[in-house]
């Protein structure tokens, strides 16, 4: 595996690969890699001639300075995992390389950037759009792989690609979970053993509420989730919403919606966890 730090070099690399008619798969990450990330790499290596992954903790998508400071960073461990998974190139730029000057671009995603994550993390999706647009210009891949774990981010990336008219195919990948159901996340490293064990309540509650979807009203479904999780001293629901998968707007009338997803954010002390489940009525 080759490590590349400069945009100019990665651009040249992709240009050459494409000139040789090779397909390029791209997996953007912020590092602190786990099996969820690796599943994306594996999907890319299966379906492309060349796989590139990036490790870059993007400062502009953090609305909380402490979260940015505490974000786990381990280049050696990440690069070993990427190499073992068959990644060909690791793009590992510095902040100065990605942001040689302040990025003042403001993106407009028709309101989907103001729902749920967008509402609770102001500026987050604008930062995501800033970095993903820069990464996609540097790495104009054939296919780019994103996890359904970050369902709302995936929706934003799809809009971004459309808005910018980029010929990159976005591939959605399943959520990889711990044996107890907790969605894998770099932030799980910051949970205590007890919190990690007990965090199984998030996914188990999502599967329970899915069972009740045709029996209860939307308000009662939401109430069930919030009460079930908040009962535990260690967790507090920030939001639970049942939304249209494309607009991310709350479902009002169950029958009118085609594709529906239920999204949740939960605080475990100072660690914020997100998850979601397909919820078609
Ligand atoms: P991150 O490093 O958190 O920015 O994540 C990089 C990519 O990995 C994103 O597309 C995430 O959605 C994806 N990802 C993170 N956790 C998981 C998981 N548990 N299962 C599948 N994909 C994931």
């Amino acid at each position: 595996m080759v490590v590349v730090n400069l945009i100019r070099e990665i651009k040249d690399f992709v240009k050459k690969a494409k000139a040789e008619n090779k397909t390029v798969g791209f997996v953007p990450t912020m590092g602190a890699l786990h099996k969820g990330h690796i599943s994306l790499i594996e999907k890319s290596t299966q379906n492309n001639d060349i796989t590139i992954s990036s490790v870059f903790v993007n400062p502009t998508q953090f609305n909380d300075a402490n979260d940015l400071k505490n974000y786990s960073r381990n280049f050696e461990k990440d690069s070993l995992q990427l190499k073992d998974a068959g990644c060909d190139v690791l793009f590992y730029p510095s902040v100065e390389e990605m942001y040689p000057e302040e990025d003042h671009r403001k993106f407009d995603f028709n309101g989907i950037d103001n729902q749920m994550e967008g509402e609770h993390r102001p500026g987050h999706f604008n930062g995501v759009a800033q970095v993903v647009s820069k990464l996609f210009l540097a790495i104009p891949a054939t296919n780019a792989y994103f996890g359904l774990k970050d369902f709302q981010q995936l929706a934003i990336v799809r809009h971004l690609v459309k808005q910018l008219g980029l010929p990159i195919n976005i591939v959605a990948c399943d959520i990889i979970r711990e044996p107890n159901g907790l969605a894998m996340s770099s932030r799980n490293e910051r949970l205590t053993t007890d919190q990690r064990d007990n965090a199984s309540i998030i996914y188990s509650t999502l599967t329970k509420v899915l069972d009740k979807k045709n029996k209860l009203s939307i308000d009662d479904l939401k109430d069930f989730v919030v009460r079930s999780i908040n009962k535990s001293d260690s967790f507090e629901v920030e939001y639970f919403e049942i939304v249209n998968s494309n607009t991310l707007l709350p479902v009002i009338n169950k029958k009118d919606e085609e594709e529906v997803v239920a999204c949740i954010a939960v605080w475990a002390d100072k660690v914020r966890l997100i998850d979601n489940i397909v919820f078609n009525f």
Side-chain angles (χ1 to χ4, degrees), residues 107-149:
F107 292 83
D108 182 354
F109 295 112
N110 287 331
I112 66 165
D113 46 336
N114 298 324
Q115 306 298 318
M116 300 181 287
E117 288 302 286
E119 182 189 347
H120 291 275
R121 302 185 66 189
H124 169 64
F125 284 132
N126 200 61
V128 168
Q130 287 174 342
V131 78
V132 173
S133 61
K134 278 173 181 272
L135 286 169
F136 280 177
L137 288 177
I139 304 170
T142 323
N143 299 296
Y145 296 81
F146 288 83
L148 284 160
K149 157 82 173 29

Side-chain angles (χ1 to χ4, degrees), residues 230-274:
N230 285 2
K231 243 188 337 213
S232 138
D233 285 342
S234 329
F235 302 100
E236 179 153 8
V237 175
E238 185 174 78
Y239 67 76
F240 170 73
E241 295 288 352
I242 299 168
V243 300
N244 178 294
S245 306
N246 300 310
T247 61
L248 300 187
L249 289 173
V251 172
I252 312 241
N253 182 346
K254 285 182 183 181
K255 294 194 183 68
D256 286 344
E257 304 294 331
E258 300 223 306
E259 284 175 53
V260 176
V261 64
C263 299
I264 192 165
V266 175
W267 283 98
D269 196 12
K270 294 192 172 63
V271 184
R272 190 171 179 280
L273 304 170
I274 58 169

Side-chain angles (χ1 to χ4, degrees), residues 37-98:
H37 296 112
I38 298 307
S39 73
L40 272 52
I41 300 285
E42 284 167 353
K43 203 151 191 188
S44 173
T45 59
Q46 283 158 18
N47 294 303
N48 298 278
D49 298 315
I50 288 170
T51 290
I52 302 175
S53 185
S54 59
V55 170
F56 179 66
V57 182
N58 173 39
T60 73
Q61 74 187 67
F62 284 80
N63 57 315
D64 174 345
N66 264 330
D67 191 25
L68 173 61
K69 194 178 107 214
N70 294 328
Y71 204 86
S72 178
R73 294 161 170 89
N74 193 333
F75 177 75
E76 296 306 323
K77 200 167 153 213
D78 286 346
S79 50
L80 273 178
Q81 285 192 75
L82 288 172
K83 191 172 156 222
D84 285 352
C87 178
D88 300 292
V89 183
L90 165 53
F91 180 52
Y92 184 60
S94 64
V95 173
E96 294 70 33
E97 179 69 7
M98 291 301 284

Side-chain angles (χ1 to χ4, degrees), residues 182-197:
L182 174 64
M184 289 194 180
S185 164
S186 307
R187 290 188 172 84
N188 294 355
E189 285 182 21
R190 284 158 51 199
L191 298 175
T192 64
T193 312
D194 271 359
Q195 283 174 326
R196 242 184 212 238
D197 291 347

Side-chain angles (χ1 to χ4, degrees), residues 28-30 34 36-37 40 71 146-147 149-150 174-176 184:
T29 82
M30 296 204 301
H34 50 67
H37 296 112
L40 272 52
Y71 204 86
F146 288 83
K149 157 82 173 29
D150 298 280
D174 289 342
I175 302 176
I176 306 296
M184 289 194 180

